[in-house]
Amino acid sequence: MFYRQSIILFGFVVPFAICAVVVGGGMILKSKTSASFLEKQSLYKSAESDRIGALGIEAQISKKRPHMERWLSQVGKETASSITSNLKQIADSLPSKEFQQTAVDYPNSKGGFATSAAQDSSQVRLAFRGTFRSVQMALAELESRMPQLQLHELKIDPSGSSTSSLNFQVTYTAWEK
């Protein structure tokens, strides 16, 4: 009887409190471990999908490598001589009555996007006289042969000499290496 309070306190309450602390601590540790596992699992899935996406992009890029070397060599060429030779080849394939190059100018100043870009560039102003169809074909051919050209300005005016002939003034930004 005298020890009843001590037996209850040290025999039941203290062991129960210790068990509750151990079980509570175990539950908190388990929930933190589960949350950490779920977070790491989602990070792994994300990293795995990024890796698979990167492999897909690498496969696409590897198909384009030969073109990249050709484009880099094209950009490395001098713009003035490339434009001159390409326009001569294009003019030879078109009727002379429908397409005539009237002027070529290489201003020293930058224009368009080139003013705010760190990439080296130059400007090219071209003038043509001809039919809309022929000049359109010539410009499309020039732009496909020289992908580094970016159209900056295009002006089309009627020609005084012929009703079917138009005057074209085209300004390109030529990106260089």
Side-chain angles (χ1 to χ4, degrees):
M1 279 222 223
F2 296 114
Y3 302 109
R4 183 184 298 175
Q5 192 177 18
S6 296
I7 292 173
I8 291 174
L9 181 66
F10 293 111
F12 294 111
V13 174
V14 171
F16 181 74
I18 291 173
C19 286
V21 168
V22 169
V23 169
M27 290 177 69
I28 290 172
L29 184 64
K30 180 186 180 283
S31 69
K32 285 185 178 181
T33 305
S34 295
S36 173
F37 175 73
L38 290 175
E39 179 184 352
K40 289 178 182 178
Q41 194 175 28
S42 70
L43 287 173
Y44 172 77
K45 286 179 182 177
S46 172
E48 197 58 26
S49 69
D50 289 349
R51 186 183 69 82
I52 290 170
L55 288 174
I57 290 171
E58 182 64 34
Q60 291 175 350
I61 289 173
S62 66
K63 293 177 186 176
K64 305 249 189 249
R65 282 202 204 287
H67 299 296
M68 192 68 186
E69 292 170 8
R70 180 176 50 91
W71 291 333
L72 287 174
S73 71
Q74 180 73 25
V75 170
K77 292 179 183 175
E78 183 187 0
T79 302
S81 64
S82 294
I83 287 179
T84 304
S85 63
N86 281 320
L87 281 175
K88 183 174 178 356
Q89 290 174 358
I90 293 168
D92 290 344
S93 68
L94 294 172
S96 61
K97 292 181 182 178
E98 293 183 12
F99 179 79
Q100 299 161 1
Q101 182 178 346
T102 57
V104 177
D105 184 25
Y106 300 99
N108 292 333
S109 63
K110 290 184 175 185
F113 290 121
T115 56
S116 60
Q119 178 74 30
D120 290 337
S121 65
S122 62
Q123 270 204 319
V124 180
R125 286 194 188 118
L126 304 170
F128 305 102
R129 182 178 303 116
T131 62
F132 184 80
R133 182 181 78 64
S134 293
V135 175
Q136 182 183 27
M137 286 175 46
L139 292 177
E141 181 67 24
L142 179 66
E143 290 173 13
S144 21
R145 288 182 184 196
M146 298 184 69
Q148 72 267 30
L149 294 180
Q150 181 179 17
L151 182 65
H152 175 67
E153 184 177 5
L154 172 66
K155 289 183 182 179
I156 303 173
D157 297 318
S159 177
S161 61
S162 171
T163 58
S164 65
S165 184
L166 298 169
N167 290 326
F168 293 83
Q169 292 179 344
V170 184
T171 305
Y172 284 110
T173 298
W175 298 104
E176 299 171 344
K177 202 171 192 181

